[in-house]
């Protein structure tokens, strides 16, 4: 397998690290900064003898080196600074996403694309249009991360293993995301029966603001360990045809009452990319929350 990661910054380089350590394939790191992808790739590959992975990792400024990739991960762009919303990024990043997508698909016309750059849902649409690919081959990472944050907070609240918590988040990758308490479990037990309502409300709120919490702590950048790990989980599901149900930013044409936008929904991710969008029953309150989140994505795309 061959994985191209565009943008060798915090998210891109750390994604390369997770992918190499899982031996998902050979990795090409691309960036406009000269020397940076080359240096990080070489540094990572030099860990191979110690860690025992056999992935070739190269860094480049040239898209020819990405030819025939199976998956293209797009992390190029600018990250949020304190006080900056994801929406502020829209104009700057859309130009970058359109140009890197066009370059990459020239050399890998059969690839699957996983977009990470923010504002996520809008950038997915930019990549879909720029690639000319069918919608099942262009998806975005947001929900795996948002759900991972939700799961982390639930596990810490209950002081139980992280692995035992399954939970997920619907909607756009913004403060209006919809953590679905009703579909969240710890060891198969509904969390609503384990955590008092006020504590759960606080966890939901913290999940929604999970990205900002880290931006405010770091001051000079945004989260990257969990975002890159979440991205590689999607890449792995595609490359290994795992058919995992993952919350995925998918292009909706009628599902969940939405049309013509990307939004986070549960989907089966496997060797054919987004193989199926799963529609679940929502309560009126959940529907309204999802609509609000969709409205936010539409509002952001107006900045294009
Ligand atoms: P970063 O600033 O560390 O890295 C971005 C890299 O992109 C830099 O190395 C830069 O040189 C490169 N770049 C810029 N223009 C380029 C171009 N035209 N071609 C190739 N490379 C180019 O930023 P970081 O922390 O890695 O974040 C990357 C993006 O991912 C941001 O937009 C951020 O908001 C987003 N993000 C999304 C998450 C999600 O859940 N979807 C979570 C975390 C970050």
């Amino acid at each position: 397998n061959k994985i191209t990661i565009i943008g060798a910054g915090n998210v891109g380089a750390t994604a390369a690290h997770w992918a190499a350590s899982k031996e998902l394939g050979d990795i090409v790191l691309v960036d406009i900064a000269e020397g940076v992808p080359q240096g990080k790739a070489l540094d990572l590959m030099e860990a191979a003898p110690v860690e025992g992975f056999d992935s070739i990792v190269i860094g480049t400024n040239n898209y020819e080196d990405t030819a025939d990739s199976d998956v293209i991960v797009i992390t190029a762009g600018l990250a949020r600074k304190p006080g900056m919303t994801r929406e502020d990024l829209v104009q700057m990043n859309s130009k970058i996403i359109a140009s890197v997508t066009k370059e990459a698909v020239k050399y890998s016309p059969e690839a699957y694309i996983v977009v990470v750059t923010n504002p996520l849902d809008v950038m997915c649409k930019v990549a879909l249009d720029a690639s000319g690919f069918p919608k099942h081959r262009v998806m975005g990472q947001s929900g795996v991360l948002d759900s991972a944050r939700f799961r982390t907070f639930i596990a810490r609240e209950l002081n139980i293993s992280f692995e035992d918590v399954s939970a997920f988040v619907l909607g756009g990758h913004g403060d209006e995301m919809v953590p679905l308490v009703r579909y969240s479990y710890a060891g198969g037990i509904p969390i609503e029966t384990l955590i008092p309502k006020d504590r759960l409300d606080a966890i939901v709120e913290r999940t929604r603001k999970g990205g900002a919490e880290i931006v405010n702590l770091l001051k000079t950048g945004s989260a990257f360990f969990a975002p890159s790990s979440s991205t590689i989980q999607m890449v792995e599901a595609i490359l290994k045809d795992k058919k995992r149900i993952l919350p995925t930013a998918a292009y909706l044409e009628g599902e969940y009452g939405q049309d013509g936008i990307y939004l986070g929904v549960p989907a089966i991710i496997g060797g054919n990319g987004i193989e199926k969008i799963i529609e679940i029953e929502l309560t009126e309150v959940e529907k309204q929350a999802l609509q609000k989140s969709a409205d936010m994505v539409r509002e952001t795309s107006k900045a294009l």
Side-chain angles (χ1 to χ4, degrees):
N1 292 327
K2 183 166 174 180
I3 305 160
T4 283
I5 301 174
I6 306 175
N10 277 338
V11 176
T14 316
H17 180 183
W18 294 116
S21 68
K22 289 175 196 275
E23 278 190 324
L24 294 185
D26 293 333
I27 299 161
V28 182
L29 262 180
V30 189
D31 204 286
I32 37 163
E34 279 177 31
V36 171
Q38 291 86 345
K40 289 188 182 180
L42 182 59
D43 186 17
L44 176 56
M45 194 162 62
E46 287 166 354
V50 183
E51 292 295 323
F53 59 79
D54 276 309
S55 296
I56 308 294
V57 191
I58 68 155
T60 183
N61 309 110
N62 187 343
Y63 283 86
E64 274 169 37
D65 297 323
T66 69
D68 301 320
S69 293
D70 300 289
V71 179
I72 297 165
V73 174
I74 301 180
T75 77
L78 308 170
R80 278 197 297 168
K81 306 240 155 46
M84 203 172 162
T85 66
R86 291 186 177 93
E87 284 66 34
D88 292 334
L89 288 173
V90 69
Q91 287 182 329
M92 294 178 278
N93 283 352
S94 62
K95 289 200 186 80
I96 295 173
I97 299 314
S99 85
V100 304
T101 303
K102 282 188 186 132
E103 280 301 309
V105 305
K106 239 190 264 173
Y107 296 98
S108 301
E110 305 300 327
Y112 292 84
I113 298 178
V114 181
V115 179
V116 186
T117 305
N118 276 319
L120 192 268
D121 306 274
V122 178
M123 291 307 117
C124 288
K125 180 64 165 51
V126 172
L128 179 75
D129 293 344
S131 66
F133 282 7
K135 62 182 179 179
H136 69 279
R137 277 168 51 202
V138 183
M139 66 201 85
Q141 189 296 118
S142 55
V144 177
L145 171 64
D146 297 329
S147 305
R149 288 181 173 144
F150 194 27
R151 292 163 65 194
T152 301
F153 304 146
I154 293 167
R156 294 307 299 133
E157 174 74 20
L158 295 171
N159 200 16
I160 59 165
S161 165
F162 299 103
E163 240 184 337
D164 284 341
V165 181
S166 73
F168 82 100
V169 174
L170 270 181
H173 188 50
D175 297 345
E176 302 299 337
M177 68 177 77
V178 188
L180 278 187
V181 171
R182 221 159 45 85
Y183 285 98
S184 301
Y185 300 88
I189 305 161
I191 58 162
E192 284 171 301
T193 65
L194 298 172
I195 303 176
K197 173 125 188 5
D198 60 325
R199 295 294 309 156
L200 252 179
D201 288 347
I203 288 172
V204 164
E205 195 52 24
R206 190 174 176 198
T207 301
R208 285 207 172 109
K209 307 248 163 77
E213 181 176 2
I214 293 183
V215 169
N216 292 332
L217 287 166
L218 294 178
K219 304 219 165 56
T220 54
S222 61
F224 56 97
F225 285 115
S228 54
S229 149
S230 303
T231 304
I232 293 306
Q233 182 170 73
M234 298 181 76
V235 172
E236 183 176 29
I238 298 166
L239 291 175
K240 294 189 179 167
D241 190 22
K242 285 181 83 86
K243 303 195 189 301
R244 294 201 62 166
I245 298 182
L246 298 175
T248 303
Y251 189 63
L252 301 184
E253 289 179 304
E255 298 91 347
Y256 289 93
Q258 303 298 331
D259 194 40
I261 57 166
Y262 270 84
L263 208 59
V265 294
I268 299 176
I269 306 298
N272 287 314
I274 300 178
E275 298 189 351
K276 186 181 173 21
I277 290 171
I278 298 171
E279 286 200 73
I280 54 170
E281 291 272 339
L282 297 178
T283 64
E284 265 323 300
V285 172
E286 289 162 352
K287 273 186 203 159
Q288 278 169 19
L290 188 65
Q291 185 58 48
K292 208 169 155 195
S293 183
D295 290 344
M296 192 89 168
V297 173
R298 286 200 177 83
E299 189 60 37
T300 305
S301 45
K302 281 189 195 153
L304 280 180

